[in-house]
Amino acid sequence: MSIVVLIPTFRPDERLPRYVSELKKGGLETIILVDDGSGENYHRYFKLCEEEYGVVVLRHETNMGKGCALRTGFAWILSHSPESNGVITADCDGQHKALDVLRVRDALEDPSELILGCRDFSGEGIPKKSRYGNLLTVKIFHFLTRRHVTDTQTGLRGIGRNLLPAMIELPGDRYEYEMEMLVYAVFKDIRIREIPIETIYEEKNKKTHFRPFLDSVKIYGYLLNGVIRYR
């Protein structure tokens, strides 16, 4: 079974080549990086990944957001990787261990299924804003959809190939896109399975590109609008 790994990437650091190396060692052959307008100062990381590990690099000239980067990757997979059974989306900021990516790969067998790599926010060392933000979002999501999802904002997802045409059509340019994907899956009766993964917050997540207020407002807006749209 062939699985593609898709990593939307904005202004990476030296962790990116190390991460790609770990994924390759785990047997993940096809890896796509979407350079979401990182700029010339970051090209060396992408070049190293291309030359050393044979990854595919797709580029946005300007920063368009995570949702746009994911759709760019999905479109490439449909056009250039006809043998793949699905795609795993992962973040480049150190939150997803290669072993957890492999666990999601092993779980993704059905091309019409959505796999969520879900973090446990009850342990030690979780930033308070992340712990309580996730708890609030989970409760609101359950209230509006009547479906319990442990980690609504996880970026580690396994998406069956049959879902990709619909995923390309979903709205949302930044982090709200991942919420839109979940709402769509719930109301279209797509099977969702959760796989527990390690919860990692390096340096208390200081290097995240998530904008707490603006992106949270958009996420909740897309959640409400999605419920209205798909119900």
Side-chain angles (χ1 to χ4, degrees), residues 30-95:
T30 307
I31 300 175
I32 301 171
L33 303 178
V34 180
D35 176 5
D36 190 26
S38 299
E40 291 186 5
N41 291 339
Y42 300 88
H43 281 183
R44 65 186 184 276
Y45 299 117
F46 295 102
K47 185 177 181 180
L48 177 59
C49 290
E50 280 184 299
E51 294 180 350
E52 291 291 324
Y53 305 113
V55 306
V56 175
V57 177
L58 309 177
R59 286 192 167 87
H60 293 165
E61 291 302 317
T62 60
N63 180 249
M64 300 175 67
K66 188 176 185 181
C68 285
L70 290 172
R71 287 196 294 268
T72 294
F74 295 156
W76 188 95
I77 292 165
L78 285 176
S79 298
H80 296 84
S81 186
E83 77 288 351
S84 64
N85 194 55
V87 55
I88 298 172
T89 64
D91 294 342
C92 69
D93 57 3
Q95 289 201 44

Side-chain angles (χ1 to χ4, degrees), residues 71-215:
R71 287 196 294 268
T72 294
F74 295 156
W76 188 95
I77 292 165
L78 285 176
S79 298
H80 296 84
S81 186
E83 77 288 351
S84 64
N85 194 55
V87 55
I88 298 172
T89 64
D91 294 342
C92 69
D93 57 3
Q95 289 201 44
H96 302 142
K97 282 196 170 183
L99 286 175
D100 286 326
V101 176
L102 294 174
R103 295 185 69 200
V104 173
R105 178 201 61 184
D106 293 342
L108 185 58
E109 298 179 349
D110 185 342
S112 298
E113 188 174 46
L114 176 63
I115 307 292
L116 303 179
C118 294
R119 299 161 290 180
D120 180 4
F121 289 88
S122 63
E124 297 291 332
I126 308 299
K128 287 185 179 180
K129 65 179 181 180
S130 298
R131 186 194 307 274
Y132 295 118
N134 179 75
L135 179 62
L136 176 62
T137 305
V138 166
K139 288 184 177 296
I140 293 175
F141 187 88
H142 181 263
F143 176 77
L144 292 174
T145 67
R146 300 304 174 190
R147 178 70 179 267
H148 178 74
V149 173
T150 304
D151 185 358
T152 58
Q153 284 305 112
T154 178
L156 182 54
R157 303 181 178 198
I159 305 167
R161 184 183 183 85
N162 293 349
L163 305 181
L164 294 184
M167 297 296 106
I168 292 174
E169 299 299 323
L170 296 182
D173 293 339
R174 289 182 57 86
Y175 294 95
E176 71 276 3
Y177 174 81
E178 291 171 316
M179 178 61 75
E180 184 78 19
M181 183 190 298
L182 273 187
V183 177
Y184 177 87
V186 167
F187 286 102
K188 296 300 180 179
D189 293 322
I190 294 169
R191 187 185 181 197
I192 301 173
R193 281 200 295 139
E194 297 188 356
I195 302 296
I197 63 172
E198 186 171 348
T199 308
I200 302 172
Y201 281 94
E202 294 187 353
E203 300 178 22
K204 295 186 177 180
N205 215 25
K206 289 181 180 178
K207 293 187 178 182
T208 181
H209 299 293
F210 183 83
R211 303 168 301 180
F213 178 74
L214 290 176
D215 288 323

